[in-house]
Amino acid sequence: MRYYKYLLIGLVALSFACKNKDTGYKPNVGGKAGEMLVIMDDKIKKSPGGIELQDLLRETYLGLPQEEPHFKMSVAPHRTFSSFMKTIRNIVVVTVNANVKDEAVKYYKDRWARPQAVVTISAKDTAMLRQLVEEHQLRMLSFFNKAERERYISTYKKNLSDELIKRVDSTFNIRLSVPNNLNNKKSTSSFIWMNESAHWGFLGMFVYEFPYVGEGTFSKEYLLNKRDSILHKNVPGPSEGSFMTTEHHFPVIYKQTTINDNEVVELRGLWKVQNDMMGGPFILQAHYDKANNRVVVTDGFVYSPERPDKRDKIRQMEALMYTLKFKQSHAASTQQ
């Protein structure tokens, strides 16, 4: 199959089989970001439970201008599940058999390779398979999305931009694991614009802050008004009088969460350039710095007009946001 045609397949598989058995060695995962392998026999694949699992993994990734699934999925039967295939980065193994004793969904990290995410689903029949998939929908998606994010973070930490890390630190007193593929586009005393340009377009991140003024600070309306005001001032477009802003005719997705022990509000939507034709997806995280009564915003964006695959680029920016940590304030340290 096209998905599994890589150079030296035999050597890799032999190395995996021998080393993993004798020394505990596990190879690096294979495949591209966002790829998913489902091991499921043809009869089960066509059952309601099998269809529901496939629909879940192909569920639309929210906040993009064109529809893209959470994962690029391939399905293969058990008889083809070779040692090499066990090195794919994301795997779901479905077993439906009347002899199954433990009907369950189980989650594994680095089962056959590193860094790998594996889910096994075991059921006596297809009715139970469907029930298990329904019960674990959110957890499964969260498990695999987190695995993709952690792979990006691991790569970032091996390829850091010392210059941008220091600049972000000195401006906002935060730690952000900025990778060296990003360059300093613009810096002021309260705003940093980091960017990476490529043949397909560009991606980047803004970092800015503003005071916390009460519960309303984290409303969607307040955050978007702040965003539009700050970008209008700091991010001009390519033509006279143009500037970046939010596309308010597209739904903005709002979520409250906790990241690194900090309260965070996340927004996903589309940006545009007012008075021009540019646009694309963005993801914004507003991080509450309670010790200093402020909000620090990380605002990632992608511009790729000729290519529909924006999901993984947004995932890259999201992963970078998850590395943000507030440094201990001077006031707090002097009290200890």
Side-chain angles (χ1 to χ4, degrees):
M1 293 181 292
R2 175 176 59 83
Y3 184 84
Y4 308 113
K5 290 182 180 177
Y6 294 91
L7 293 174
L8 304 178
I9 289 178
L11 291 177
V12 172
L14 179 62
S15 174
F16 171 80
C18 295
K19 292 184 178 180
N20 195 45
K21 179 179 179 180
D22 297 334
T23 68
Y25 166 84
K26 294 180 181 180
N28 293 331
V29 293
K32 297 180 180 179
E35 289 183 337
M36 171 75 68
L37 172 64
V38 178
I39 298 300
M40 181 167 54
D41 291 335
D42 292 342
K43 184 177 179 180
I44 308 304
K45 175 182 175 181
K46 297 174 183 177
S47 73
I51 292 171
E52 185 148 342
L53 174 62
Q54 294 170 79
D55 288 345
L56 171 66
L57 299 175
R58 291 195 183 108
E59 191 172 291
T60 300
Y61 192 89
L62 298 178
L64 301 179
Q66 297 92 19
E67 286 194 4
E68 295 184 51
H70 272 265
F71 301 97
K72 183 179 179 182
M73 186 184 66
S74 295
V75 181
H78 280 267
R79 65 180 180 275
T80 67
F81 195 28
S82 64
S83 294
F84 170 71
M85 293 168 68
K86 289 180 179 179
T87 66
I88 300 301
R89 63 204 300 121
N90 301 306
I91 302 177
V92 179
V93 181
V94 179
T95 302
V96 178
N97 190 299
N99 296 321
V100 166
K101 294 181 179 180
D102 185 15
E103 295 185 291
V105 177
K106 297 183 180 180
Y107 300 80
Y108 302 89
K109 286 187 176 182
D110 305 336
R111 186 166 192 184
W112 297 297
R114 302 177 191 273
Q116 187 181 54
V118 175
V119 168
T120 63
I121 308 176
S122 303
K124 290 182 182 294
D125 52 42
T126 56
M128 178 54 72
L129 169 63
R130 186 174 188 178
Q131 180 179 325
L132 289 171
V133 172
E134 289 176 348
E135 291 174 352
H136 285 256
Q137 286 186 38
L138 292 178
R139 187 177 177 188
M140 262 195 280
L141 278 184
S142 176
F143 177 72
F144 286 116
N145 280 319
K146 182 180 179 183
E148 289 290 332
R149 182 170 66 243
E150 289 179 345
R151 292 184 192 108
Y152 282 122
I153 291 173
S154 178
T155 300
Y156 293 162
K157 291 183 176 179
K158 296 174 185 176
N159 303 278
L160 296 173
S161 169
D162 292 336
E163 187 272 331
L164 276 173
I165 288 172
K166 291 176 182 176
R167 188 177 294 274
V168 170
D169 182 359
S170 63
T171 305
F172 301 105
N173 197 36
I174 61 173
R175 171 72 185 190
L176 195 67
S177 299
V178 184
N180 57 19
N181 63 300
L182 293 178
N183 300 302
N184 181 29
K185 180 80 171 180
K186 180 179 181 178
S187 296
T188 71
S189 60
S190 59
F191 181 87
I192 292 178
W193 174 359
M194 301 174 284
N195 210 65
E196 177 193 14
S197 296
H199 65 279
W200 46 262
F202 55 81
L203 58 75
M205 181 176 290
F206 309 121
V207 186
Y208 50 91
E209 65 179 350
F210 48 83
Y212 176 77
V213 294
E215 291 184 6
T217 307
F218 282 102
S219 69
K220 182 193 294 188
E221 294 75 16
Y222 191 90
L223 291 173
L224 289 177
N225 284 336
K226 276 290 186 183
R227 180 178 198 267
D228 290 345
S229 174
I230 291 170
L231 298 192
H232 187 180
K233 178 182 178 182
N234 290 282
V235 189
S239 56
E240 185 69 25
S242 64
F243 55 90
M244 183 182 280
T245 188
T246 305
E247 175 53 85
H248 292 281
H249 291 101
F250 186 85
V252 175
I253 301 156
Y254 178 97
K255 182 178 80 171
Q256 293 178 309
T257 187
T258 301
I259 300 173
N260 297 328
D261 298 323
N262 297 314
E263 296 175 43
V264 173
V265 165
E266 180 182 282
L267 302 179
R268 294 175 185 263
L270 299 185
W271 62 270
K272 66 178 181 179
V273 173
Q274 191 71 35
N275 302 322
D276 204 275
M277 298 297 291
M278 297 176 68
F282 77 87
I283 176 172
L284 177 155
Q285 288 185 356
H287 311 254
Y288 181 27
D289 182 6
K290 188 177 295 186
N292 294 290
N293 203 42
R294 64 171 180 161
V295 178
V296 175
V297 173
T298 47
D299 188 341
F301 58 93
V302 171
Y303 179 65
S304 181
E306 303 297 328
R307 298 175 63 177
D309 53 337
K310 301 173 177 64
R311 176 201 62 203
D312 293 329
K313 296 177 177 62
I314 281 291
R315 273 185 174 148
Q316 292 177 45
M317 294 295 93
E318 178 187 11
L320 177 53
M321 295 175 186
Y322 269 76
T323 70
L324 186 148
K325 293 184 179 180
F326 291 114
K327 301 180 71 175
Q328 190 178 43
S329 68
H330 177 72
S333 63
T334 57
Q335 293 172 5
Q336 296 180 354

